[in-house]
Amino acid sequence: MRITALAGGVGGARFLRGLLHHLAGWPDGPHSLTVIGNTGDDITLFGLRVCPDLDTLLYTFGGGIHESQGWGRADETFAVQGELAAYGVGPQWFGLGDRDFGTHIARSQWLGQGMTLSEVTRRLAGRWGLPAGGVTLLPMTDTPVETHVVVDDGDGERAIHFQQWWVQHQAALPAKRFVVAGLNKAVAAPGVLDAIRTADLVVLPPSNPVVSIGIILSVPGVRDALRGTQAPVVGVSPLVGGAPVRGHADACLSAIGVPVTPDGVAGLYADFLDGWLVDKADEAAMAGAQIAVRAIPLLMTDVNAAAEMASEAIELGLSLRA
Amino acid sequence: MRITALAGGVGGARFLRGLLHHLAGWPDGPHSLTVIGNTGDDITLFGLRVCPDLDTLLYTFGGGIHESQGWGRADETFAVQGELAAYGVGPQWFGLGDRDFGTHIARSQWLGQGMTLSEVTRRLAGRWGLPAGGVTLLPMTDTPVETHVVVDDGDGERAIHFQQWWVQHQAALPAKRFVVAGLNKAVAAPGVLDAIRTADLVVLPPSNPVVSIGIILSVPGVRDALRGTQAPVVGVSPLVGGAPVRGHADACLSAIGVPVTPDGVAGLYADFLDGWLVDKADEAAMAGAQIAVRAIPLLMTDVNAAAEMASEAIELGLSLRA
């Protein structure tokens, strides 16, 4: 079975690690998973290119993630950032550990040598054991793009980098809309559209529907590929009881005028979504929906819980196959 | 008193720290010290610009140096380089610690923003307490230059980066000559020639006479400035008993056909040297020299020993003033 997933950072990584855990015991293998990662969160810090979502996916798949935090490296130290602070070099609000710096230095050097982000990501992935188990991580595009947030805190509108809004301001500055700088020149990275078109199943993990999956959907061709694929497209709601499990999906949805409900989120995918996995607490809110809905507990308390969710998503998808 | 010094890394830094220690107690202050640092050792590693001699000088003056090693930072960790190794990114023979990486990342970011190496060095120096005590560190040139070593290990001549010869091969590959790549486009950095011309005393610390001081002397205008300055020029021999105290000055001198003797080294400076400080063990070897020679113990066992050497160098210089 060839599964293709669109993913942001922490939520997507945890769900997909569970999916891989589940697939390992699934019959009729080998199976493959192609993950299309959001690169709108990417940012250049200290002259180095940082790709937070791609790194969270790699660290999580490869066993290097800081487990309780969900992002960054386990057993991390912060000597480099301490030195940068001593030299008066900012920003300091984006915490980069020493091990993490190693990734960004390697990536930046390779990009500087002319490699594409796809090539760089494949190289980085090798260290984390991919493509063992048939796992491939693709950036959504090789074109440098950056999600900017138009905010208005009383002095008129201004655009700030997504990470500044998300990390420095904890999504507390009133957002008016999201703009992806560079998107007008972006094309889907090699393999992205084919992975959607030729999949047996497409999965949308419980990633942020606006600033993670929504950004991937904005890459030219991605939405058309999802509409046109023969594969069932199954999504997992990022909400539990009408609120995000973690992150600031509520602020993001409100900013674009979408209700913070599983129905509201599903509406963002209405043109291609076939099945929708929601939390038991949100089952009633989906009554009367036009798509196949399954309600289960959606808390990824550990790998086994995530694997159970993934199992339900796969079963829902297979039940929808023509 | 305005003192100007030409310096490489470890030996120069230790001697000049002693000189500053001595100057602090010298009457009729304030005094000033301008250090012209060798940049021929500079190398781009992992896409980052590394200036080993400038950093050794800053770390030593600022109290951040790994004291017994002589270069690099105290209390250093190596997480970043460990990650780069895990990603298969080399070279691994040049040991860069995490704190040290902080310096190179800051420098590279500023250079990337269009600052000159002089401006970058001034910024880095601020963190290390300069210009307190009237200390200014100038790179010899803002033009990127790199000392290459032409070696011949049996398969014909080939040029390798100085650091590869010095660090990876421990100067054991037979060197034929030294070539400074980029020197044809290099001009002395702002302030360098004036610092030599307007000094009250010029000092050559016991740095490597070929690949440290020799490289600074090759920057257009530097040698002329030394010949023309009114200030006495006093040098400190890097040899004790006819052998280098540390480093590979013997291999460097042999490569260019100069005897490994205090007389041989002084000969490299013959057109501008006024006074020459040698070790007691080398006093006889300097008999009959045409310049003022003073013989004292030249081992920099600690800061006080280096201060004593500097004191002798200053006194020798002042005794030679017109």
Side-chain angles (χ1 to χ4, degrees):
Chain A
M1 184 166 48
R2 288 163 303 167
I3 300 180
T4 294
L6 277 53
V10 185
R14 285 181 173 168
F15 175 82
L16 292 172
R17 181 174 55 178
L19 187 143
L20 289 171
H21 191 74
H22 175 68
L23 274 190
W26 191 263
D28 304 324
H31 308 288
S32 70
L33 172 67
T34 299
V35 181
I36 300 166
N38 171 40
T39 61
D41 291 17
D42 293 5
I43 186 167
T44 298
L45 292 169
F46 313 112
L48 301 170
R49 192 66 176 164
V50 180
C51 301
D53 285 357
L54 297 183
D55 289 345
T56 296
L57 290 159
L58 287 179
Y59 297 164
T60 303
F61 295 164
I65 199 77
H66 186 299
E67 196 61 44
S68 62
Q69 188 172 256
W71 51 270
R73 295 289 306 277
D75 304 319
E76 191 57 290
T77 52
F78 294 86
V80 174
Q81 189 138 4
E83 287 303 305
L84 291 168
Y87 284 120
V89 182
Q92 289 298 317
W93 49 260
F94 198 90
L96 289 178
D98 298 328
R99 292 176 188 269
D100 210 14
F101 261 110
T103 303
H104 311 317
I105 291 170
R107 174 191 291 116
S108 300
Q109 182 182 12
W110 289 332
L111 289 172
Q113 289 167 354
M115 287 185 213
T116 65
L117 184 58
S118 290
E119 292 167 330
V120 167
T121 303
R122 188 161 53 236
R123 277 211 186 196
L124 294 174
R127 180 264 164 96
W128 294 107
L130 278 57
V135 184
T136 304
L137 174 62
L138 303 176
M140 65 184 199
T141 176
D142 283 337
T143 314
V145 296
E146 288 187 346
T147 305
H148 291 179
V149 187
V150 179
V151 297
D152 187 348
D153 45 4
D155 298 331
E157 292 189 353
R158 64 194 166 93
I160 61 177
H161 192 285
F162 169 75
Q163 296 293 358
Q164 203 179 348
W165 182 71
W166 188 265
V167 178
Q168 187 182 17
H169 296 291
Q170 294 289 304
L173 283 184
K176 310 288 281 187
R177 60 188 178 279
F178 302 93
V179 181
V180 186
L183 195 66
N184 57 328
K185 292 181 183 167
V187 293
V192 163
L193 301 182
D194 273 352
I196 297 171
R197 290 188 193 118
T198 65
D200 297 310
L201 175 66
V202 175
V203 176
L204 307 185
S207 292
N208 188 303
V210 182
V211 295
S212 294
I213 293 179
I215 302 299
I216 304 174
L217 293 176
S218 72
V219 175
V222 168
R223 198 156 199 129
D224 279 343
L226 284 163
R227 285 195 202 103
T229 184
Q230 293 295 311
V233 180
V234 173
V236 182
S237 169
L239 306 177
V240 169
V245 176
R246 62 172 284 153
H248 314 289
D250 44 354
C252 297
L253 289 164
S254 299
I256 61 168
V258 170
V260 187
T261 62
D263 200 30
V265 176
L268 292 169
Y269 310 141
D271 50 332
F272 56 78
L273 193 67
D274 301 304
W276 192 224
L277 213 58
V278 301
D279 189 76
K280 280 280 186 195
D282 293 316
E283 192 166 13
M286 291 302 298
Q290 300 298 307
I291 52 168
V293 173
R294 187 176 291 194
I296 61 161
L298 283 191
L299 277 178
M300 295 189 284
T301 42
D302 58 19
V303 174
N304 290 326
E308 180 58 29
M309 280 170 56
S311 157
E312 296 279 358
I314 291 173
E315 276 182 33
L316 177 58
L318 295 183
S319 76
L320 298 171
R321 264 215 288 222
Chain B
M1 184 165 48
R2 288 163 303 166
I3 300 179
T4 294
L6 277 52
V10 185
R14 285 181 173 168
F15 175 82
L16 292 171
R17 181 174 57 178
L19 187 144
L20 290 170
H21 191 74
H22 175 68
L23 274 189
W26 191 264
D28 305 325
H31 308 288
S32 70
L33 172 66
T34 300
V35 181
I36 300 166
N38 171 40
T39 61
D41 292 16
D42 294 5
I43 186 167
T44 299
L45 292 169
F46 313 112
L48 302 171
R49 192 66 177 162
V50 180
C51 302
D53 285 357
L54 298 181
D55 290 345
T56 295
L57 290 160
L58 287 178
Y59 297 164
T60 303
F61 295 164
I65 198 78
H66 186 300
E67 195 61 42
S68 62
Q69 188 172 256
W71 52 270
R73 296 289 305 279
D75 304 318
E76 190 58 290
T77 51
F78 294 86
V80 174
Q81 187 137 6
E83 287 304 306
L84 292 169
Y87 284 120
V89 183
Q92 289 298 316
W93 49 260
F94 198 90
L96 290 177
D98 297 329
R99 293 176 188 270
D100 209 15
F101 261 110
T103 302
H104 311 317
I105 292 170
R107 174 190 293 118
S108 301
Q109 182 182 13
W110 289 332
L111 288 173
Q113 289 168 353
M115 287 186 212
T116 64
L117 184 59
S118 290
E119 293 168 331
V120 167
T121 303
R122 188 161 53 239
R123 278 211 185 195
L124 294 173
R127 181 265 164 96
W128 294 108
L130 279 56
V135 184
T136 305
L137 175 62
L138 304 176
M140 64 185 200
T141 177
D142 283 339
T143 314
V145 296
E146 288 187 346
T147 304
H148 291 180
V149 187
V150 178
V151 297
D152 188 347
D153 45 4
D155 299 332
E157 292 191 354
R158 63 194 168 94
I160 60 176
H161 192 286
F162 169 76
Q163 297 293 357
Q164 203 179 346
W165 182 71
W166 187 266
V167 178
Q168 187 182 15
H169 296 290
Q170 294 290 305
L173 282 184
K176 311 287 282 186
R177 59 188 177 278
F178 302 93
V179 181
V180 187
L183 195 66
N184 57 328
K185 292 179 181 167
V187 293
V192 163
L193 301 182
D194 274 352
I196 296 171
R197 290 189 193 115
T198 65
D200 297 310
L201 176 66
V202 175
V203 176
L204 308 186
S207 291
N208 188 303
V210 182
V211 296
S212 294
I213 293 180
I215 302 299
I216 304 175
L217 293 177
S218 71
V219 175
V222 168
R223 198 155 199 130
D224 278 344
L226 284 162
R227 285 195 202 104
T229 183
Q230 293 295 312
V233 180
V234 173
V236 182
S237 169
L239 306 177
V240 170
V245 177
R246 62 172 285 153
H248 313 291
D250 43 354
C252 298
L253 288 164
S254 299
I256 61 168
V258 171
V260 188
T261 63
D263 199 31
V265 176
L268 292 169
Y269 310 141
D271 50 331
F272 56 79
L273 193 68
D274 301 304
W276 191 226
L277 213 58
V278 300
D279 188 77
K280 280 281 186 194
D282 293 316
E283 192 166 13
M286 291 303 297
Q290 300 298 308
I291 52 168
V293 173
R294 187 176 291 194
I296 61 161
L298 284 191
L299 277 179
M300 295 189 283
T301 42
D302 58 20
V303 174
N304 289 326
E308 180 58 27
M309 279 168 57
S311 156
E312 296 279 358
I314 292 172
E315 276 183 33
L316 176 59
L318 295 184
S319 75
L320 298 171
R321 263 212 291 221

